PDB file of all heavy atoms in Angstrom:
ATOM      1  N   HIS A1260    -157.660  30.555  43.475  1.00 98.00           N
ATOM      2  CA  HIS A1260    -158.405  31.822  43.291  1.00 98.00           C
ATOM      3  C   HIS A1260    -157.580  33.052  43.649  1.00 98.00           C
ATOM      4  O   HIS A1260    -156.608  32.945  44.402  1.00 98.00           O
ATOM      5  CB  HIS A1260    -159.670  31.797  44.253  1.00 98.00           C
ATOM      6  CG  HIS A1260    -160.694  30.868  43.775  1.00 98.00           C
ATOM      7  ND1 HIS A1260    -161.571  31.150  42.698  1.00 98.00           N
ATOM      8  CD2 HIS A1260    -161.065  29.615  44.193  1.00 98.00           C
ATOM      9  CE1 HIS A1260    -162.362  30.174  42.513  1.00 98.00           C
ATOM     10  NE2 HIS A1260    -162.125  29.184  43.418  1.00 98.00           N
ATOM     11  N   SER A1261    -158.014  34.218  43.105  1.00 98.00           N
ATOM     12  CA  SER A1261    -157.327  35.478  43.402  1.00 98.00           C
ATOM     13  C   SER A1261    -158.139  36.190  44.482  1.00 98.00           C
ATOM     14  O   SER A1261    -159.269  35.808  44.820  1.00 98.00           O
ATOM     15  CB  SER A1261    -157.199  36.311  42.172  1.00 98.00           C
ATOM     16  OG  SER A1261    -158.499  36.663  41.677  1.00 98.00           O
ATOM     17  N   LYS A1262    -157.567  37.251  44.964  1.00 97.00           N
ATOM     18  CA  LYS A1262    -158.022  37.848  46.249  1.00 97.00           C
ATOM     19  C   LYS A1262    -159.525  38.408  46.200  1.00 97.00           C
ATOM     20  O   LYS A1262    -160.147  38.364  47.219  1.00 97.00           O
ATOM     21  CB  LYS A1262    -157.092  39.054  46.636  1.00 97.00           C
ATOM     22  CG  LYS A1262    -156.957  40.161  45.571  1.00 97.00           C
ATOM     23  CD  LYS A1262    -155.903  41.194  46.022  1.00 97.00           C
ATOM     24  CE  LYS A1262    -155.857  42.449  45.195  1.00 97.00           C
ATOM     25  NZ  LYS A1262    -155.503  42.275  43.777  1.00 97.00           N
ATOM     26  N   ALA A1263    -159.958  38.762  45.036  1.00 97.00           N
ATOM     27  CA  ALA A1263    -161.397  39.230  44.956  1.00 97.00           C
ATOM     28  C   ALA A1263    -162.368  38.108  45.399  1.00 97.00           C
ATOM     29  O   ALA A1263    -163.454  38.405  45.846  1.00 97.00           O
ATOM     30  CB  ALA A1263    -161.725  39.757  43.560  1.00 97.00           C
ATOM     31  N   SER A1264    -161.925  36.869  45.129  1.00 96.00           N
ATOM     32  CA  SER A1264    -162.751  35.713  45.596  1.00 96.00           C
ATOM     33  C   SER A1264    -162.463  35.445  47.060  1.00 96.00           C
ATOM     34  O   SER A1264    -161.940  34.384  47.483  1.00 96.00           O
ATOM     35  CB  SER A1264    -162.517  34.461  44.756  1.00 96.00           C
ATOM     36  OG  SER A1264    -163.271  34.507  43.584  1.00 96.00           O
ATOM     37  N   PHE A1265    -162.780  36.419  47.912  1.00 94.00           N
ATOM     38  CA  PHE A1265    -162.426  36.258  49.335  1.00 94.00           C
ATOM     39  C   PHE A1265    -163.162  35.107  49.964  1.00 94.00           C
ATOM     40  O   PHE A1265    -162.658  34.502  50.850  1.00 94.00           O
ATOM     41  CB  PHE A1265    -162.714  37.624  50.091  1.00 94.00           C
ATOM     42  CG  PHE A1265    -164.111  38.069  49.878  1.00 94.00           C
ATOM     43  CD1 PHE A1265    -165.135  37.678  50.676  1.00 94.00           C
ATOM     44  CD2 PHE A1265    -164.411  38.984  48.838  1.00 94.00           C
ATOM     45  CE1 PHE A1265    -166.460  38.113  50.448  1.00 94.00           C
ATOM     46  CE2 PHE A1265    -165.649  39.449  48.592  1.00 94.00           C
ATOM     47  CZ  PHE A1265    -166.734  38.989  49.410  1.00 94.00           C
ATOM     48  N   GLN A1266    -164.412  34.839  49.449  1.00 92.00           N
ATOM     49  CA  GLN A1266    -165.173  33.728  50.028  1.00 92.00           C
ATOM     50  C   GLN A1266    -164.528  32.369  49.744  1.00 92.00           C
ATOM     51  O   GLN A1266    -164.787  31.385  50.460  1.00 92.00           O
ATOM     52  CB  GLN A1266    -166.624  33.737  49.479  1.00 92.00           C
ATOM     53  CG  GLN A1266    -166.807  33.215  48.018  1.00 92.00           C
ATOM     54  CD  GLN A1266    -166.214  34.195  46.971  1.00 92.00           C
ATOM     55  OE1 GLN A1266    -165.953  35.306  47.243  1.00 92.00           O
ATOM     56  NE2 GLN A1266    -165.938  33.629  45.799  1.00 92.00           N
ATOM     57  N   ALA A1267    -163.563  32.306  48.826  1.00 94.00           N
ATOM     58  CA  ALA A1267    -162.871  31.126  48.500  1.00 94.00           C
ATOM     59  C   ALA A1267    -161.410  31.241  49.005  1.00 94.00           C
ATOM     60  O   ALA A1267    -160.493  30.483  48.479  1.00 94.00           O
ATOM     61  CB  ALA A1267    -162.935  30.804  46.951  1.00 94.00           C
ATOM     62  N   ASN A1268    -161.144  32.181  49.872  1.00 95.00           N
ATOM     63  CA  ASN A1268    -159.787  32.366  50.436  1.00 95.00           C
ATOM     64  C   ASN A1268    -158.809  32.661  49.324  1.00 95.00           C
ATOM     65  O   ASN A1268    -157.673  32.171  49.269  1.00 95.00           O
ATOM     66  CB  ASN A1268    -159.404  31.140  51.227  1.00 95.00           C
ATOM     67  CG  ASN A1268    -158.161  31.342  52.007  1.00 95.00           C
ATOM     68  OD1 ASN A1268    -157.768  32.471  52.361  1.00 95.00           O
ATOM     69  ND2 ASN A1268    -157.425  30.245  52.263  1.00 95.00           N
ATOM     70  N   GLY A1269    -159.200  33.511  48.358  1.00 97.00           N
ATOM     71  CA  GLY A1269    -158.316  33.879  47.273  1.00 97.00           C
ATOM     72  C   GLY A1269    -156.965  34.475  47.662  1.00 97.00           C
ATOM     73  O   GLY A1269    -156.893  35.144  48.700  1.00 97.00           O
ATOM     74  N   LEU A1270    -155.945  34.195  46.853  1.00 98.00           N
ATOM     75  CA  LEU A1270    -154.605  34.634  47.179  1.00 98.00           C
ATOM     76  C   LEU A1270    -154.360  36.124  46.789  1.00 98.00           C
ATOM     77  O   LEU A1270    -154.873  36.550  45.657  1.00 98.00           O
ATOM     78  CB  LEU A1270    -153.584  33.782  46.424  1.00 98.00           C
ATOM     79  CG  LEU A1270    -153.238  32.390  47.018  1.00 98.00           C
ATOM     80  CD1 LEU A1270    -154.540  31.566  47.041  1.00 98.00           C
ATOM     81  CD2 LEU A1270    -152.227  31.687  46.176  1.00 98.00           C
ATOM     82  N   ASP A1271    -153.676  36.904  47.603  1.00 98.00           N
ATOM     83  CA  ASP A1271    -153.281  38.214  47.202  1.00 98.00           C
ATOM     84  C   ASP A1271    -151.910  38.073  46.530  1.00 98.00           C
ATOM     85  O   ASP A1271    -151.414  36.987  46.355  1.00 98.00           O
ATOM     86  CB  ASP A1271    -153.198  39.168  48.403  1.00 98.00           C
ATOM     87  CG  ASP A1271    -152.233  38.711  49.493  1.00 98.00           C
ATOM     88  OD1 ASP A1271    -151.449  37.775  49.205  1.00 98.00           O
ATOM     89  OD2 ASP A1271    -152.225  39.200  50.565  1.00 98.00           O
ATOM     90  N   GLU A1272    -151.371  39.252  46.111  1.00 98.00           N
ATOM     91  CA  GLU A1272    -150.138  39.239  45.304  1.00 98.00           C
ATOM     92  C   GLU A1272    -149.011  38.504  46.014  1.00 98.00           C
ATOM     93  O   GLU A1272    -148.306  37.705  45.409  1.00 98.00           O
ATOM     94  CB  GLU A1272    -149.665  40.706  45.004  1.00 98.00           C
ATOM     95  CG  GLU A1272    -150.514  41.433  43.992  1.00 98.00           C
ATOM     96  CD  GLU A1272    -151.821  41.915  44.535  1.00 98.00           C
ATOM     97  OE1 GLU A1272    -152.227  41.712  45.678  1.00 98.00           O
ATOM     98  OE2 GLU A1272    -152.621  42.587  43.755  1.00 98.00           O
ATOM     99  N   GLU A1273    -148.885  38.810  47.339  1.00 98.00           N
ATOM    100  CA  GLU A1273    -147.775  38.239  48.083  1.00 98.00           C
ATOM    101  C   GLU A1273    -147.886  36.695  48.134  1.00 98.00           C
ATOM    102  O   GLU A1273    -146.939  35.959  47.872  1.00 98.00           O
ATOM    103  CB  GLU A1273    -147.828  38.783  49.451  1.00 98.00           C
ATOM    104  CG  GLU A1273    -146.621  38.640  50.275  1.00 98.00           C
ATOM    105  CD  GLU A1273    -146.757  39.136  51.672  1.00 98.00           C
ATOM    106  OE1 GLU A1273    -147.412  40.292  51.870  1.00 98.00           O
ATOM    107  OE2 GLU A1273    -146.308  38.499  52.642  1.00 98.00           O
ATOM    108  N   ARG A1274    -149.130  36.201  48.371  1.00 98.00           N
ATOM    109  CA  ARG A1274    -149.315  34.745  48.485  1.00 98.00           C
ATOM    110  C   ARG A1274    -149.166  34.063  47.196  1.00 98.00           C
ATOM    111  O   ARG A1274    -148.635  32.916  47.127  1.00 98.00           O
ATOM    112  CB  ARG A1274    -150.655  34.422  49.066  1.00 98.00           C
ATOM    113  CG  ARG A1274    -150.733  34.791  50.593  1.00 98.00           C
ATOM    114  CD  ARG A1274    -152.099  34.514  51.219  1.00 98.00           C
ATOM    115  NE  ARG A1274    -152.424  33.124  51.186  1.00 98.00           N
ATOM    116  CZ  ARG A1274    -153.639  32.601  51.012  1.00 98.00           C
ATOM    117  NH1 ARG A1274    -154.608  33.373  50.788  1.00 98.00           N
ATOM    118  NH2 ARG A1274    -153.834  31.304  51.001  1.00 98.00           N
ATOM    119  N   VAL A1275    -149.595  34.684  46.065  1.00 98.00           N
ATOM    120  CA  VAL A1275    -149.485  34.025  44.788  1.00 98.00           C
ATOM    121  C   VAL A1275    -147.985  33.996  44.376  1.00 98.00           C
ATOM    122  O   VAL A1275    -147.537  32.909  43.845  1.00 98.00           O
ATOM    123  CB  VAL A1275    -150.373  34.659  43.724  1.00 98.00           C
ATOM    124  CG1 VAL A1275    -149.734  35.897  43.091  1.00 98.00           C
ATOM    125  CG2 VAL A1275    -150.688  33.674  42.655  1.00 98.00           C
ATOM    126  N   LEU A1276    -147.222  35.034  44.679  1.00 98.00           N
ATOM    127  CA  LEU A1276    -145.793  34.917  44.335  1.00 98.00           C
ATOM    128  C   LEU A1276    -145.046  33.945  45.172  1.00 98.00           C
ATOM    129  O   LEU A1276    -144.138  33.252  44.688  1.00 98.00           O
ATOM    130  CB  LEU A1276    -145.163  36.342  44.452  1.00 98.00           C
ATOM    131  CG  LEU A1276    -145.673  37.372  43.463  1.00 98.00           C
ATOM    132  CD1 LEU A1276    -144.984  38.726  43.659  1.00 98.00           C
ATOM    133  CD2 LEU A1276    -145.514  36.860  42.022  1.00 98.00           C
TER     134      LEU A1276
END
Side-chain angles (χ1 to χ4, degrees):
H1260 287 286
S1261 65
K1262 60 187 190 294
S1264 277
F1265 52 88
Q1266 74 291 341
N1268 190 25
L1270 281 61
D1271 61 13
E1272 287 78 357
E1273 196 184 320
R1274 289 178 65 213
V1275 83
L1276 293 181

